[in-house]
Amino acid sequence: MRRRRTLRARWPAAIAALPLLASALAGCGSSGGGGPVTLNWYNFPDDSGALQQAAERCSHASKGQYQIRYNKLPRTADGQRQQLVRRLAAHDAGVDIMGLDVTWPAEFAEAGWVREWTGALKAQATTDTLKAAVQTATWKDRLYAVPYNSNTQLLWYRDDLVPVPPKSWAEMLAQANALAKAGKPHYVEIQGAQYEGLTVWFNTLVTSAGGSILTPSAQAPSLGPPAVVAAGIMRDTARSAAADPSLSNQMEDENRLAMESGTAAFELNYPFVYPSMKANQPKLFQHFRWAPYPGVTAGRPATVTIGGIDLAVGAYSKHPDLAFQATLCLRNRDNQLTNALKGGLPPSLRSLYQAAELTKSYPFAADVLNALDTASVRPRTPAYQNVSIAIAHTLSPPAGIRPASTVSDLRGQIEDALGSKGLIP
């Protein structure tokens, strides 16, 4: 999970129309006038410079065929999706390449907003690419995007407090309780706010317990006993000594800051916390370690929810052939390595996890790869946004969960979400 979901006030109609006007102008600019074609790439706002560098590299490598213009989307996932949906619903020809959260390809494919990858292009897009990452870009057995980067969570802990990392949630909560009784830092930092991170936590626990949120056909909720177990773990965590007082309002960055403040012993989070701890708290960094995400049942490894960005070619692009070529370049080995080293985002190419350039900065590369090889995928359905909102709403706050009845309520909420019935919370 990667970006916050933040509700924004609606802009006046005149202002809301500006993105479409800007895109129309961009579309005109991409038609070319004898020089290189301008390809508009819309992606999340990257402050590291890795995405801009990739755009410049690929523009140069095209030898005058095209120039990639990197357009930054809003910072929140909801804002990014909203802007793309508005443009594509208006058949915006200026959207050539777009970065999609791994939960969006099904929706965009079903709407006819992205082009399918076939033949040699599909072969190039999937070669050496992690299986779970390819699954996120696939809808109805057809590939509609190419994984740009991947992401997963690990267990981060302090070895001055926890000499041996826990292998299960029960073991971790027991260790946190013992630390609390000893008057030592003991919180377990996890995403408990009412947003996508809460859905990711639930999905990881459900799949780790052997279940799934939806049936294989994605036409109905599955849930069942594994979901009750998952809900119970979330409730028990929220009511235990392990719970940060701010649990019900915490997202990834709040977890990072709490761990860096020295009040926590454990953190379930993405690899970006490692360089942050190193830069911000060098003394604590000496004791900052990582381990596989704790399992739900003894002897059964966790299946951690995969995150990341998939790149898709817009259905209304005037230059689809060049857009496909440019997309393959943007996510090639060199650019993924730069994205990992500068942007902190794990690659989707398997071979990079053995590259010395990566392992030097990612000493946890093997653990990340193992987590991605056994990863679970969030429900693949065009109605994912509605399903996720229903999950986050029903499970918030975690301390208020009543496992059996809450899962029963959630089943009804998901049925309505899949059928576009009722009001989405």
Side-chain angles (χ1 to χ4, degrees):
M1 259 281 330
R2 179 185 59 82
R3 293 286 185 270
R4 300 181 179 183
R5 294 191 163 182
T6 306
L7 294 178
R8 299 287 187 185
R10 189 179 298 276
W11 290 95
I15 296 177
L18 289 178
L20 297 181
L21 176 60
S23 67
L25 294 174
C28 292
S30 67
S31 62
V37 166
T38 296
L39 297 177
N40 284 289
W41 175 29
Y42 290 87
N43 213 338
F44 66 88
D46 167 50
D47 298 325
S48 73
L51 270 65
Q52 181 59 43
Q53 184 173 338
E56 292 171 358
R57 280 176 174 172
C58 292
S59 297
H60 178 73
S62 77
K63 297 181 179 180
Q65 292 188 79
Y66 57 75
Q67 192 78 21
I68 299 175
R69 178 187 296 155
Y70 166 42
N71 300 276
K72 295 183 179 182
L73 290 168
R75 288 201 173 272
T76 66
D78 279 352
Q80 294 167 22
R81 177 180 168 276
Q82 184 181 64
Q83 185 174 135
L84 289 175
V85 166
R86 284 180 175 178
R87 291 177 180 278
L88 295 168
H91 292 199
D92 189 340
V95 180
D96 299 295
I97 306 166
M98 68 195 92
L100 306 181
D101 186 281
V102 292
T103 63
W104 302 344
E107 176 190 5
F108 281 53
E110 190 71 12
W113 291 334
V114 292
R115 294 175 183 266
E116 182 184 357
W117 290 70
T118 60
L121 289 171
K122 180 179 180 180
Q124 291 179 65
T126 55
T127 297
D128 192 35
T129 304
L130 298 170
K131 181 179 179 181
V134 173
Q135 287 179 333
T136 69
T138 302
W139 174 238
K140 293 183 177 179
D141 297 323
R142 295 182 176 184
L143 188 71
Y144 286 97
V146 55
Y148 178 62
N149 70 269
S150 200
N151 220 340
T152 189
Q153 292 189 330
L154 296 176
L155 168 64
W156 306 89
Y157 68 98
R158 285 175 50 178
D159 69 359
D160 58 330
L161 299 171
V162 186
V164 180
K167 294 183 179 181
S168 69
W169 275 86
E171 186 180 349
M172 181 169 62
L173 295 184
Q175 290 180 349
N177 188 57
L179 288 169
K181 289 182 178 179
K184 298 180 179 181
H186 56 276
Y187 293 145
V188 173
E189 299 299 332
I190 184 72
Q191 300 82 49
Q194 190 183 117
Y195 80 119
E196 182 66 15
L198 193 62
T199 299
V200 168
W201 184 13
F202 182 63
N203 185 74
T204 293
L205 294 178
V206 171
T207 59
S208 297
S212 62
I213 292 175
L214 299 185
T215 60
S217 66
Q219 298 299 308
S222 176
L223 301 175
V228 176
V229 171
I233 290 175
M234 297 173 78
R235 187 271 316 272
D236 292 346
T237 300
R239 296 184 181 181
S240 73
D244 188 300
S246 300
L247 171 65
S248 62
N249 294 309
Q250 284 197 313
M251 303 184 189
E252 292 90 347
D253 211 43
E254 286 81 5
N255 298 147
R256 173 188 67 84
L257 293 172
M259 192 75 180
E260 291 178 3
S261 74
T263 61
F266 306 95
E267 177 182 14
L268 284 307
N269 218 330
Y270 298 94
F272 81 99
V273 301
Y274 184 81
S276 179
M277 178 68 82
K278 184 177 182 180
N280 298 335
Q281 295 291 350
K283 289 185 178 179
L284 277 182
F285 179 75
Q286 297 175 20
H287 299 285
F288 196 50
R289 299 291 182 268
W290 63 89
Y293 196 104
V296 169
T297 56
R300 183 172 189 159
T303 50
V304 188
T305 304
I306 191 173
I309 292 292
D310 296 331
L311 297 184
V313 173
Y316 310 110
S317 170
K318 295 181 180 179
H319 311 283
D321 292 342
L322 291 178
F324 277 117
Q325 291 180 35
T327 300
L328 288 173
C329 178
L330 289 171
R331 55 91 63 178
N332 67 19
R333 185 185 187 281
D334 289 344
N335 288 326
Q336 285 208 33
L337 181 59
T338 299
N339 197 26
L341 298 181
K342 294 182 68 172
L345 297 174
S348 62
L349 295 176
R350 175 178 296 278
S351 60
L352 275 176
Y353 286 89
Q354 282 75 48
E357 307 100 305
L358 182 73
T359 56
K360 181 179 179 180
S361 297
Y362 271 59
F364 42 83
D367 293 284
V368 169
L369 179 59
N370 183 64
L372 291 171
D373 275 340
T374 57
S376 58
V377 177
R378 277 166 278 184
R380 284 184 290 168
T381 168
Y384 178 79
Q385 295 296 117
N386 292 350
V387 170
S388 179
I389 291 171
I391 292 171
H393 180 268
T394 305
L395 297 176
S396 179
I401 291 173
R402 295 174 296 168
S405 62
T406 297
V407 169
S408 178
D409 290 344
L410 180 57
R411 184 176 289 106
Q413 291 275 359
I414 291 178
E415 287 175 348
D416 287 347
L418 291 171
S420 298
K421 299 176 182 178
L423 295 175
I424 299 301

